[in-house]
mmCIF file of all heavy atoms in Angstrom:
data_model
loop_
_atom_site.group_PDB
_atom_site.id
_atom_site.type_symbol
_atom_site.label_atom_id
_atom_site.label_comp_id
_atom_site.label_asym_id
_atom_site.label_seq_id
_atom_site.Cartn_x
_atom_site.Cartn_y
_atom_site.Cartn_z
ATOM 1 N N ASP A 24 -10.597 -5.562 0.982
ATOM 2 C CA ASP A 24 -11.754 -6.369 0.661
ATOM 3 C C ASP A 24 -12.068 -6.243 -0.811
ATOM 4 O O ASP A 24 -12.365 -7.236 -1.519
ATOM 5 C CB ASP A 24 -12.944 -5.924 1.504
ATOM 6 C CG ASP A 24 -14.133 -6.906 1.420
ATOM 7 O OD1 ASP A 24 -14.329 -7.465 0.327
ATOM 8 O OD2 ASP A 24 -14.851 -7.073 2.401
ATOM 9 N N CYS A 25 -12.033 -4.998 -1.320
ATOM 10 C CA CYS A 25 -12.281 -4.766 -2.757
ATOM 11 C C CYS A 25 -11.271 -5.467 -3.651
ATOM 12 O O CYS A 25 -11.613 -5.964 -4.760
ATOM 13 C CB CYS A 25 -12.331 -3.278 -3.034
ATOM 14 S SG CYS A 25 -13.752 -2.428 -2.322
ATOM 15 N N LEU A 26 -10.025 -5.473 -3.204
ATOM 16 C CA LEU A 26 -8.967 -6.158 -3.980
ATOM 17 C C LEU A 26 -9.292 -7.644 -4.086
ATOM 18 O O LEU A 26 -9.132 -8.250 -5.158
ATOM 19 C CB LEU A 26 -7.608 -5.929 -3.295
ATOM 20 C CG LEU A 26 -7.042 -4.518 -3.366
ATOM 21 C CD1 LEU A 26 -5.793 -4.400 -2.503
ATOM 22 C CD2 LEU A 26 -6.687 -4.150 -4.824
ATOM 23 N N LYS A 27 -9.732 -8.245 -2.992
ATOM 24 C CA LYS A 27 -10.104 -9.645 -3.001
ATOM 25 C C LYS A 27 -11.258 -9.896 -3.969
ATOM 26 O O LYS A 27 -11.266 -10.884 -4.704
ATOM 27 C CB LYS A 27 -10.485 -10.104 -1.599
ATOM 28 C CG LYS A 27 -9.347 -10.175 -0.617
ATOM 29 C CD LYS A 27 -9.820 -10.628 0.739
ATOM 30 C CE LYS A 27 -8.695 -10.671 1.777
ATOM 31 N NZ LYS A 27 -9.200 -11.080 3.115
ATOM 32 N N GLN A 28 -12.227 -9.001 -3.974
ATOM 33 C CA GLN A 28 -13.394 -9.138 -4.833
ATOM 34 C C GLN A 28 -12.964 -9.154 -6.311
ATOM 35 O O GLN A 28 -13.573 -9.804 -7.184
ATOM 36 C CB GLN A 28 -14.396 -8.034 -4.609
ATOM 37 C CG GLN A 28 -15.083 -8.072 -3.265
ATOM 38 C CD GLN A 28 -16.022 -6.864 -3.077
ATOM 39 O OE1 GLN A 28 -16.747 -6.537 -4.010
ATOM 40 N NE2 GLN A 28 -15.989 -6.237 -1.951
ATOM 41 N N ALA A 29 -11.890 -8.391 -6.593
ATOM 42 C CA ALA A 29 -11.403 -8.302 -7.972
ATOM 43 C C ALA A 29 -10.485 -9.452 -8.343
ATOM 44 O O ALA A 29 -9.951 -9.515 -9.448
ATOM 45 C CB ALA A 29 -10.654 -6.993 -8.159
ATOM 46 N N GLY A 30 -10.254 -10.365 -7.374
ATOM 47 C CA GLY A 30 -9.400 -11.496 -7.666
ATOM 48 C C GLY A 30 -7.925 -11.205 -7.421
ATOM 49 O O GLY A 30 -7.067 -11.992 -7.889
ATOM 50 N N LEU A 31 -7.622 -10.110 -6.764
ATOM 51 C CA LEU A 31 -6.218 -9.751 -6.460
ATOM 52 C C LEU A 31 -5.842 -10.111 -5.028
ATOM 53 O O LEU A 31 -6.702 -10.245 -4.178
ATOM 54 C CB LEU A 31 -6.025 -8.237 -6.659
ATOM 55 C CG LEU A 31 -6.271 -7.758 -8.085
ATOM 56 C CD1 LEU A 31 -6.307 -6.226 -8.136
ATOM 57 C CD2 LEU A 31 -5.207 -8.259 -9.016
ATOM 58 N N ASN A 32 -4.562 -10.289 -4.810
ATOM 59 C CA ASN A 32 -4.029 -10.655 -3.507
ATOM 60 C C ASN A 32 -3.677 -9.345 -2.768
ATOM 61 O O ASN A 32 -2.741 -8.635 -3.177
ATOM 62 C CB ASN A 32 -2.827 -11.560 -3.633
ATOM 63 C CG ASN A 32 -2.331 -12.040 -2.291
ATOM 64 O OD1 ASN A 32 -2.784 -11.603 -1.243
ATOM 65 N ND2 ASN A 32 -1.412 -12.998 -2.301
ATOM 66 N N PRO A 33 -4.351 -9.037 -1.677
ATOM 67 C CA PRO A 33 -4.024 -7.770 -0.940
ATOM 68 C C PRO A 33 -2.588 -7.689 -0.486
ATOM 69 O O PRO A 33 -2.056 -6.580 -0.380
ATOM 70 C CB PRO A 33 -4.972 -7.872 0.299
ATOM 71 C CG PRO A 33 -6.095 -8.723 -0.170
ATOM 72 C CD PRO A 33 -5.485 -9.752 -1.057
ATOM 73 N N LYS A 34 -1.927 -8.854 -0.310
ATOM 74 C CA LYS A 34 -0.519 -8.779 0.116
ATOM 75 C C LYS A 34 0.380 -8.216 -0.978
ATOM 76 O O LYS A 34 1.478 -7.656 -0.683
ATOM 77 C CB LYS A 34 -0.026 -10.196 0.435
ATOM 78 C CG LYS A 34 -0.650 -10.802 1.704
ATOM 79 C CD LYS A 34 -0.095 -12.156 2.019
ATOM 80 C CE LYS A 34 -0.731 -12.721 3.307
ATOM 81 N NZ LYS A 34 -0.158 -14.075 3.615
ATOM 82 N N ASP A 35 -0.087 -8.273 -2.241
ATOM 83 C CA ASP A 35 0.673 -7.698 -3.344
ATOM 84 C C ASP A 35 0.554 -6.183 -3.341
ATOM 85 O O ASP A 35 1.254 -5.480 -4.121
ATOM 86 C CB ASP A 35 0.206 -8.253 -4.675
ATOM 87 C CG ASP A 35 0.522 -9.764 -4.813
ATOM 88 O OD1 ASP A 35 1.446 -10.223 -4.131
ATOM 89 O OD2 ASP A 35 -0.197 -10.451 -5.586
ATOM 90 N N TYR A 36 -0.343 -5.648 -2.552
ATOM 91 C CA TYR A 36 -0.593 -4.223 -2.479
ATOM 92 C C TYR A 36 -0.388 -3.723 -1.040
ATOM 93 O O TYR A 36 -1.202 -2.971 -0.513
ATOM 94 C CB TYR A 36 -2.005 -3.912 -2.932
ATOM 95 C CG TYR A 36 -2.271 -4.274 -4.367
ATOM 96 C CD1 TYR A 36 -2.575 -5.617 -4.712
ATOM 97 C CD2 TYR A 36 -2.137 -3.342 -5.407
ATOM 98 C CE1 TYR A 36 -2.781 -5.964 -6.025
ATOM 99 C CE2 TYR A 36 -2.360 -3.714 -6.742
ATOM 100 C CZ TYR A 36 -2.682 -5.035 -7.018
ATOM 101 O OH TYR A 36 -2.868 -5.375 -8.366
ATOM 102 N N ALA A 37 0.681 -4.165 -0.436
ATOM 103 C CA ALA A 37 0.977 -3.837 0.968
ATOM 104 C C ALA A 37 2.456 -3.434 1.143
ATOM 105 O O ALA A 37 2.990 -3.547 2.232
ATOM 106 C CB ALA A 37 0.623 -4.987 1.835
ATOM 107 N N LYS A 38 3.034 -2.909 0.089
ATOM 108 C CA LYS A 38 4.449 -2.513 0.189
ATOM 109 C C LYS A 38 4.590 -1.265 1.076
ATOM 110 O O LYS A 38 3.661 -0.458 1.197
ATOM 111 C CB LYS A 38 5.036 -2.254 -1.191
ATOM 112 C CG LYS A 38 4.388 -1.049 -1.900
ATOM 113 C CD LYS A 38 5.016 -0.799 -3.277
ATOM 114 C CE LYS A 38 4.319 0.404 -3.963
ATOM 115 N NZ LYS A 38 4.875 0.673 -5.277
ATOM 116 N N ALA A 39 5.733 -1.109 1.713
ATOM 117 C CA ALA A 39 5.975 0.032 2.550
ATOM 118 C C ALA A 39 6.083 1.294 1.680
ATOM 119 O O ALA A 39 6.532 1.253 0.499
ATOM 120 C CB ALA A 39 7.285 -0.121 3.307
ATOM 121 N N VAL A 40 5.587 2.411 2.154
ATOM 122 C CA VAL A 40 5.626 3.648 1.418
ATOM 123 C C VAL A 40 6.645 4.595 2.018
ATOM 124 O O VAL A 40 6.987 4.478 3.221
ATOM 125 C CB VAL A 40 4.217 4.309 1.404
ATOM 126 C CG1 VAL A 40 3.180 3.355 0.830
ATOM 127 C CG2 VAL A 40 3.801 4.733 2.820
ATOM 128 N N PRO A 41 7.123 5.569 1.276
ATOM 129 C CA PRO A 41 8.130 6.506 1.805
ATOM 130 C C PRO A 41 7.534 7.373 2.927
ATOM 131 O O PRO A 41 6.342 7.720 2.919
ATOM 132 C CB PRO A 41 8.459 7.379 0.582
ATOM 133 C CG PRO A 41 8.035 6.572 -0.583
ATOM 134 C CD PRO A 41 6.861 5.781 -0.157
ATOM 135 N N GLN A 42 8.345 7.669 3.905
ATOM 136 C CA GLN A 42 7.911 8.514 5.003
ATOM 137 C C GLN A 42 7.963 9.991 4.541
ATOM 138 O O GLN A 42 8.785 10.337 3.685
ATOM 139 C CB GLN A 42 8.827 8.347 6.217
ATOM 140 C CG GLN A 42 8.714 6.967 6.859
ATOM 141 C CD GLN A 42 7.324 6.636 7.347
ATOM 142 O OE1 GLN A 42 6.698 7.463 8.005
ATOM 143 N NE2 GLN A 42 6.789 5.495 6.972
ATOM 144 N N PRO A 43 7.075 10.818 5.072
ATOM 145 C CA PRO A 43 7.069 12.241 4.686
ATOM 146 C C PRO A 43 8.422 12.870 4.928
ATOM 147 O O PRO A 43 9.035 12.661 5.951
ATOM 148 C CB PRO A 43 5.993 12.838 5.582
ATOM 149 C CG PRO A 43 5.126 11.688 5.968
ATOM 150 C CD PRO A 43 6.027 10.485 6.083
ATOM 151 N N LYS A 44 8.867 13.666 3.977
ATOM 152 C CA LYS A 44 10.149 14.337 4.145
ATOM 153 C C LYS A 44 10.057 15.552 5.076
ATOM 154 O O LYS A 44 9.088 16.286 5.058
ATOM 155 C CB LYS A 44 10.634 14.811 2.771
ATOM 156 C CG LYS A 44 11.039 13.664 1.836
ATOM 157 C CD LYS A 44 11.593 14.208 0.482
ATOM 158 C CE LYS A 44 12.019 13.028 -0.378
ATOM 159 N NZ LYS A 44 12.570 13.545 -1.681
ATOM 160 N N LYS A 45 11.033 15.720 5.892
ATOM 161 C CA LYS A 45 11.097 16.839 6.822
ATOM 162 C C LYS A 45 12.124 17.862 6.288
ATOM 163 O O LYS A 45 13.295 17.543 6.104
ATOM 164 C CB LYS A 45 11.529 16.385 8.199
ATOM 165 C CG LYS A 45 10.620 15.334 8.817
ATOM 166 C CD LYS A 45 9.236 15.861 9.121
ATOM 167 C CE LYS A 45 8.360 14.809 9.848
ATOM 168 N NZ LYS A 45 7.003 15.307 10.110
ATOM 169 N N VAL A 46 11.663 19.063 6.033
ATOM 170 C CA VAL A 46 12.551 20.109 5.475
ATOM 171 C C VAL A 46 13.414 20.715 6.557
ATOM 172 O O VAL A 46 14.525 21.151 6.306
ATOM 173 C CB VAL A 46 11.726 21.201 4.777
ATOM 174 C CG1 VAL A 46 11.009 20.623 3.587
ATOM 175 C CG2 VAL A 46 10.769 21.869 5.728
ATOM 176 N N GLY A 47 12.925 20.741 7.806
ATOM 177 C CA GLY A 47 13.709 21.319 8.899
ATOM 178 C C GLY A 47 13.835 22.830 8.796
ATOM 179 O O GLY A 47 13.204 23.467 7.996
ATOM 180 N N GLY A 48 14.663 23.362 9.653
ATOM 181 C CA GLY A 48 14.860 24.826 9.672
ATOM 182 C C GLY A 48 14.201 25.468 10.879
ATOM 183 O O GLY A 48 13.515 24.789 11.694
#
């Protein structure tokens, strides 16, 4: 909602993010 208020397109800020890395062990 705040992005829209600023005149930005929320879809431009919806990219996938990296999943947390698992160290294992």
Side-chain angles (χ1 to χ4, degrees):
D24 191 326
C25 289
L26 290 171
K27 291 180 181 178
Q28 293 178 43
L31 297 170
N32 186 350
K34 292 183 179 180
D35 294 336
Y36 298 82
K38 64 180 180 180
V40 303
Q42 294 299 311
K44 292 183 179 180
K45 302 293 185 180
V46 296

